[in-house]
Amino acid sequence: QKEVEQNSGPLSVPEGAIASLNCTYSDRGSQSFFWYRQYSGKSPELIMFIYSNGDKEDGRFTAQLNKASQYVSLLIRDSQPSDSATYLCAAHPTGGSSNTGKLIFGQGTTLQVKP
Amino acid sequence: EAQVTQNPRYLITVTGKKLTVTCSQNMNHEYMSWYRQDPGLGLRQIYYSMNVEVTDKGDVPEGYKVSRKEKRNFPLILESPSPNQTSLYFCASSLHSGSRGNTEAFFGQGTRLTVV
């Protein structure tokens, strides 16, 4: 079973701090990884994707990928109360699903940013 | 505006009464899928479709049917709903290609289904 694992949290950080969200995946051949933000009762929305080892920055968000350790993370700098949401990590698996759009999702980490 | 549209947003029904949740996308995406989301279980794929007339089971297909007669539409059918199908449902679409980066899934607004 190809899995994506996340700590469900909640992760609580003060406003202005850096929030660090982590994700591990079991399919070593996975190539693309996605971070989605989901507000309660709403649909997931894409924040970032990454497919190369290293860091990828977009505004206050930085995605980090370490394929050797099968580890993906999302850093949110200068966290704001509006960042409070559930963050879903997703991986595009290999094998039979590699030529489809299928994504494997983690359970999500709930982030709480306290004013 | 690029979007995935689901209807209805909320639905309460009784056990055994057939229902259909519609999903339509305007991005000409080949790949569409249905997920259900339950507390503690995350997003689980029900069915997916790689193109018109091409559908296959996801991880939790029991009790569901789908069809893909047109590229833009991918309805989810519950022939005989049961209480364990009470959940939040999302339709999603994406480009078919497995190339890096463009398997981003665009989600519909969600359908909260309650079966009593």
Side-chain angles (χ1 to χ4, degrees), chain A residues 31-32 34 36 38 41-44 46 49 51 67 88 92 98-103 105-107, chain B residues 31 35 37 40-43 45 50 59 90 94-96 98 100-101 103-105 107-109 112:
Chain A
Q31 294 192 11
S32 302
F34 302 80
Y36 285 83
Q38 185 178 25
K42 303 296 185 183
S43 58
L46 182 72
F49 68 85
Y51 54 77
K67 291 187 177 181
L88 303 171
H92 182 237
S98 63
N99 291 322
T100 76
K102 178 171 183 174
L103 296 177
F105 284 88
Q107 294 181 16
Chain B
Y31 187 92
Y35 294 89
Q37 188 173 37
L41 298 177
L43 281 164
Q45 191 181 55
M50 291 173 60
D59 300 315
F90 288 104
S94 59
L95 286 173
H96 171 266
R100 293 170 174 176
T103 49
E104 172 193 353
F107 286 84
Q109 314 96 305
R112 187 167 292 281

Side-chain angles (χ1 to χ4, degrees), chain A:
Chain A
Q1 177 72 16
K2 298 172 181 175
E3 295 182 343
V4 174
E5 302 280 347
Q6 294 180 257
N7 187 322
S8 61
L11 172 66
S12 183
V13 300
E15 183 175 357
I18 296 176
S20 178
L21 303 160
N22 305 314
C23 168
T24 59
Y25 59 94
S26 63
D27 180 6
R28 184 171 288 279
S30 295
Q31 294 192 11
S32 302
F33 303 88
F34 302 80
W35 282 101
Y36 285 83
R37 177 177 61 200
Q38 185 178 25
Y39 293 110
S40 180
K42 303 296 185 183
S43 58
E45 54 180 333
L46 182 72
I47 299 174
M48 295 186 69
F49 68 85
I50 185 168
Y51 54 77
S52 297
N53 269 330
D55 296 358
K56 179 181 179 182
E57 186 174 320
D58 184 1
R60 295 187 296 113
F61 299 95
T62 299
Q64 299 174 318
L65 174 59
N66 183 327
K67 291 187 177 181
S69 300
Q70 296 176 238
Y71 180 91
V72 190
S73 65
L74 179 70
L75 301 178
I76 306 175
R77 289 181 299 281
D78 188 23
S79 296
Q80 302 296 310
S82 58
D83 294 326
S84 298
T86 296
Y87 290 80
L88 303 171
C89 175
H92 182 237
T94 56
S97 302
S98 63
N99 291 322
T100 76
K102 178 171 183 174
L103 296 177
I104 306 294
F105 284 88
Q107 294 181 16
T109 298
T110 299
L111 173 66
Q112 297 174 346
V113 181
K114 296 185 182 293

Side-chain angles (χ1 to χ4, degrees), chain B residues 7-112:
Chain B
N7 281 295
R9 294 289 309 281
Y10 302 91
L11 180 59
I12 301 174
T13 191
V14 296
T15 299
K17 185 177 181 182
K18 180 180 178 179
L19 66 92
T20 299
V21 184
T22 63
C23 174
S24 180
Q25 51 94 4
N26 63 1
M27 294 168 280
N28 201 38
H29 284 166
E30 293 163 323
Y31 187 92
M32 298 185 73
S33 60
W34 277 101
Y35 294 89
R36 61 178 290 174
Q37 188 173 37
D38 302 288
L41 298 177
L43 281 164
R44 295 181 293 168
Q45 191 181 55
I46 302 169
Y47 266 94
Y48 66 93
S49 170
M50 291 173 60
N51 214 324
V52 176
E53 302 293 0
V54 181
T55 64
D56 207 348
K57 297 176 181 178
D59 300 315
V60 288
E62 293 77 21
Y64 304 95
K65 287 176 56 177
V66 293
S67 68
R68 188 89 181 274
K69 294 183 171 58
E70 306 165 283
K71 197 171 187 178
R72 62 184 295 125
N73 296 324
F74 189 46
L76 178 70
I77 303 157
L78 284 72
E79 294 270 3
S80 182
S82 62
N84 65 10
Q85 293 178 298
T86 293
S87 186
L88 178 59
Y89 291 85
F90 288 104
C91 177
S93 74
S94 59
L95 286 173
H96 171 266
S97 172
S99 299
R100 293 170 174 176
N102 60 359
T103 49
E104 172 193 353
F106 293 83
F107 286 84
Q109 314 96 305
T111 296
R112 187 167 292 281

